[in-house]
Amino acid sequence: MVRGPLNKLLAQSLSVAGKWQHQHQQLRRLNIHEYQGAELMSKYGINVPNGVAVSSLDEVKNAVKNVFPNQSEIVVKSQVLAGGRGLGTFKNGFQGGVHIVKADQVEEIAGKMLGQILVTKQTGPQGKIVNKVYLCEKLSLVNEMYFAITLDRKTAGPIIIACSKGGTSIEDLAEKYPDMIIKVPIDVFKGITDEDATKVVDGLAPKVADKASAIEQVKKLYSLFRERDCTLLEINPIAETSDKQLVAADAKLNFDDNAAFRHKDIFELRDTSQEDPREIIIACSKGGTSIEDLAEQYPDMIIKVPIDVFKGITDEDAAKVVDGLAPKVADKASAIEQVKKLYSLFCERDCTLLEINPIAETSDKQLVAADAKLNFDDNAAFRQKDIFQLRDTSQEDPREVAAAKADLNYIGLDGEIGCMVNGAGLAMATMDIIKLHGGTPANFLDVGGSASEHQVVEAFKILTADERVKAILVNIFGGIMKCDIIASGIVNAAKEVALKVPVVVRLEGTNVDQGKRILKESGMALITAEDLDDAAEKAVKATSK
């Protein structure tokens, strides 16, 4: 089954929530394996092939003997959380992650898959490990179609997509048979109706399956999607068998991570071996100089060992790191323990970086951190108070130090337009539109949603202290942050700070009329703007005067 291209199809006419796993690692939805999805669907009365997941050759033997005693052919499917398996290649050279084979060949084929890395167009070059294979009965299929349920922002609810062609890339189907693809939005309040389900079945256009039974299968699929908080249910192909059944021959299910508390049984199925690790250990047998130089001179000597954040570092992981370091005299067992202790420090102290260059061997066969750099997550300051007391503000940008004291979110940049905005998203948008109009932002400054007048004054002091700033753009969308407070802050800042640069102000939202009146009555020479585009354009023009 091809999983990712559905997103491209939907993008042509729909605004789809989320991205696919192969494009960006999932942060908001759980993805489960095909065999797990089949088991779940069967509980909802959805027709699925008879199958069993196995993780060893002994289990393969038992399954062939006990589950498929009368089957002459069996489908062997590698289980990885990515599409394009059939055309994938294992790093051991074996071609294809899905095979239909004679019963006496199942063990041989499964043996070439289990424990191996499968690379498909959706896994990236690193591939994914196959810990299980799914053995299924070979169905007598007479027709293959496409079916999916996903979420659509445009209709603010689920949408069912169906095509009378299937078993191949939905992207290819959209290109070859665009008129065969139908979309049926579902009212989240009413749920799926018989009329909705009938439209879907008409779109599938089954050749032999009983229409009434097919309609019930569609309704059951929607019930699963809704009751289990799915973000995606994709079946490619949904097929017709020679005995006139509609069968989910392959399936992909994603679930909303926000619903984990009420679907504990589902989230216990999570396979972290298929997820991208968030932490990685990098090691090189050369050291004592810039890692950039090492990467240039000795690229083949640098190894990377990803660490599973759920399991933590294992002896095997640590051994790989030590092998990459290739110590000449240090005891390997002791070196492994040192690596594990370094990882413990990284985790327990909320590090974002722990770099030792060089990590060295001594004449008494010890592995020693001869130099080190450690960075820590600012969000963890509340639980790492002893660490954050070590802060040396003399080594930091004084603007950022001043902003931190005023409880402002500030990052200094190299541009010429100072920005004061409420909300990180609006701040990013403001910087983007400044660039669009040919300007460059001098900073990221978010005064937050509940800034006081004092904080606004402090923000202006920080902005005007930057000699590169030639204009200031104030962009406030009043919600919790009221426009009159911003306006009062601007006026008071002008009294305390000699404003030598133009100030462009765009106010909108809560108390906007009061804010504009305060600015007007102040007598200040401000440049007002009606919207963000107008404000950015005026700020860029102001820098050239």
Side-chain angles (χ1 to χ4, degrees):
M1 177 178 63
V2 180
R3 308 183 190 283
L6 172 60
N7 191 32
K8 294 182 180 179
L9 168 65
L10 288 172
Q12 296 171 3
S13 58
L14 303 172
S15 176
V16 180
K19 295 183 180 179
W20 293 82
Q21 180 181 355
H22 76 281
Q23 293 173 324
H24 184 74
Q25 177 60 28
Q26 297 180 63
L27 299 177
R28 301 301 302 167
R29 55 191 186 275
L30 168 72
N31 190 358
I32 63 175
H33 285 289
E34 175 191 2
Y35 75 91
Q36 296 166 329
E39 182 178 350
L40 181 60
M41 287 191 292
S42 68
K43 293 178 180 178
Y44 278 77
I46 298 160
N47 299 327
V48 296
N50 182 31
V52 60
V54 293
S55 56
S56 69
L57 292 182
D58 286 340
E59 291 179 2
V60 172
K61 291 179 183 178
N62 291 333
V64 172
K65 179 180 178 181
N66 300 320
V67 181
F68 307 102
N70 302 315
Q71 295 283 327
S72 59
E73 291 184 308
I74 297 173
V75 184
V76 184
K77 298 183 174 183
S78 56
Q79 296 297 283
V80 294
L81 296 181
R85 294 172 297 169
L87 298 177
T89 302
F90 287 87
K91 288 194 173 182
N92 62 5
F94 185 58
Q95 297 290 319
V98 178
H99 288 264
I100 301 174
V101 299
K102 300 293 184 183
D104 59 3
Q105 297 177 315
V106 172
E107 186 179 346
E108 175 190 354
I109 298 301
K112 294 178 180 179
M113 296 181 179
L114 286 169
Q116 300 299 319
I117 303 295
L118 177 62
V119 179
T120 78
K121 63 182 179 180
Q122 293 185 18
T123 64
Q126 74 278 6
K128 290 185 180 292
I129 190 168
V130 177
N131 292 315
K132 288 181 181 288
V133 295
Y134 189 32
L135 307 181
C136 298
E137 64 175 318
K138 180 179 178 292
L139 298 174
S140 176
L141 303 181
V142 297
N143 188 26
E144 295 184 349
M145 301 152 287
Y146 178 89
F147 177 94
I149 311 176
T150 189
L151 298 173
D152 174 35
R153 284 200 186 116
K154 184 177 180 181
T155 59
I159 190 166
I160 299 179
I161 302 166
C163 182
S164 56
K165 299 285 185 180
T168 186
S169 161
I170 187 62
E171 183 181 37
D172 292 340
L173 294 175
E175 185 177 343
K176 295 178 182 177
Y177 313 105
D179 296 335
M180 291 186 178
I181 296 172
I182 63 114
K183 306 181 184 83
V184 181
I186 307 299
D187 187 314
V188 290
F189 300 101
K190 294 180 181 178
I192 191 168
T193 64
D194 288 338
E195 182 182 1
D196 295 330
T198 301
K199 288 180 181 177
V200 174
V201 173
D202 288 343
L204 292 172
K207 297 178 180 179
V208 298
D210 177 69
K211 185 172 183 178
S213 297
I215 288 171
E216 287 305 309
Q217 286 290 298
V218 169
K219 291 165 70 176
K220 288 175 181 178
L221 285 163
Y222 181 79
S223 294
L224 165 59
F225 181 90
R226 180 181 60 82
E227 293 173 15
R228 289 299 191 151
D229 290 292
C230 293
T231 56
L232 171 72
L233 189 160
E234 182 188 30
I235 301 174
N236 188 15
I238 189 167
E240 295 179 271
T241 61
S242 56
D243 58 353
K244 302 182 180 181
Q245 295 291 313
L246 202 64
V247 178
D250 194 0
K252 175 183 174 68
L253 288 86
N254 287 354
F255 303 85
D256 185 353
D257 282 352
N258 292 313
F261 71 97
R262 62 171 168 253
H263 297 301
K264 294 180 180 178
D265 59 328
I266 297 291
F267 281 78
E268 286 175 353
L269 303 176
R270 188 167 211 150
D271 183 356
T272 58
S273 72
Q274 300 291 302
E275 299 181 13
D276 291 340
R278 298 179 188 173
E279 296 160 356
I280 191 164
I281 297 177
I282 301 172
C284 181
S285 56
K286 299 285 186 180
T289 187
S290 160
I291 185 62
E292 290 81 9
D293 291 341
L294 293 175
E296 185 177 342
Q297 296 174 25
Y298 311 105
D300 296 336
M301 291 187 178
I302 296 175
I303 62 111
K304 299 174 184 176
V305 181
I307 307 300
D308 188 316
V309 292
F310 300 98
K311 295 179 181 177
I313 192 168
T314 64
D315 288 339
E316 182 181 1
D317 295 330
K320 288 180 182 178
V321 174
V322 173
D323 288 342
L325 292 172
K328 297 178 179 179
V329 297
D331 177 68
K332 184 172 182 178
S334 298
I336 288 173
E337 289 304 310
Q338 285 291 298
V339 169
K340 291 166 69 177
K341 288 175 181 177
L342 285 165
Y343 182 77
S344 294
L345 166 60
F346 181 89
C347 289
E348 294 171 14
R349 288 301 193 150
D350 293 292
C351 293
T352 56
L353 171 71
L354 189 160
E355 180 185 29
I356 301 174
N357 189 13
I359 188 167
E361 296 179 272
T362 63
S363 57
D364 57 353
K365 301 183 180 180
Q366 296 292 312
L367 204 63
V368 177
D371 193 1
K373 176 178 181 179
L374 288 86
N375 290 352
F376 302 87
D377 186 353
D378 284 350
N379 293 313
F382 72 96
R383 63 168 170 253
Q384 307 290 353
K385 293 180 181 179
D386 58 330
I387 296 291
F388 281 79
Q389 286 175 356
L390 305 176
R391 188 167 207 155
D392 183 356
T393 57
S394 71
Q395 301 295 303
E396 300 179 25
D397 185 330
R399 299 171 299 175
E400 295 182 13
V401 174
K405 289 181 180 178
D407 199 22
L408 299 169
N409 298 311
Y410 178 92
I411 300 173
L413 303 172
D414 297 325
E416 55 189 13
I417 299 176
C419 304
M420 185 170 72
V421 189
N422 67 319
L426 188 59
M428 296 296 289
T430 302
M431 292 192 294
D432 284 344
I433 203 164
I434 287 172
K435 293 283 287 184
L436 181 65
H437 284 283
T440 52
N443 62 272
F444 171 99
L445 196 160
D446 171 18
V447 297
S450 57
S452 65
E453 187 176 310
H454 168 72
Q455 286 176 298
V456 176
V457 172
E458 290 302 311
F460 260 92
K461 289 180 179 179
I462 294 168
L463 293 178
T464 55
D466 188 341
E467 295 180 353
R468 287 171 295 194
V469 170
K470 296 180 181 179
I472 294 174
L473 171 54
V474 179
N475 182 26
I476 300 298
F477 188 87
I480 299 174
M481 182 72 259
K482 297 178 176 62
C483 293
D484 56 327
I485 292 178
I486 290 290
S488 297
I490 293 172
V491 172
N492 289 329
K495 294 177 181 178
E496 293 189 34
V497 180
L499 290 177
K500 298 179 182 179
V501 297
V503 178
V504 180
V505 181
R506 180 256 183 168
L507 299 178
E508 192 59 67
T510 306
N511 295 350
V512 64
D513 292 335
Q514 295 96 311
K516 289 180 178 179
R517 187 176 63 252
I518 291 170
L519 294 176
K520 184 177 181 181
E521 294 174 353
S522 71
M524 295 175 58
L526 299 173
I527 303 171
T528 58
E530 293 302 317
D531 54 39
L532 178 52
D533 190 66
D534 183 39
E537 185 176 1
K538 288 178 176 177
V540 172
K541 285 182 179 179
T543 62
S544 60
K545 293 181 180 179

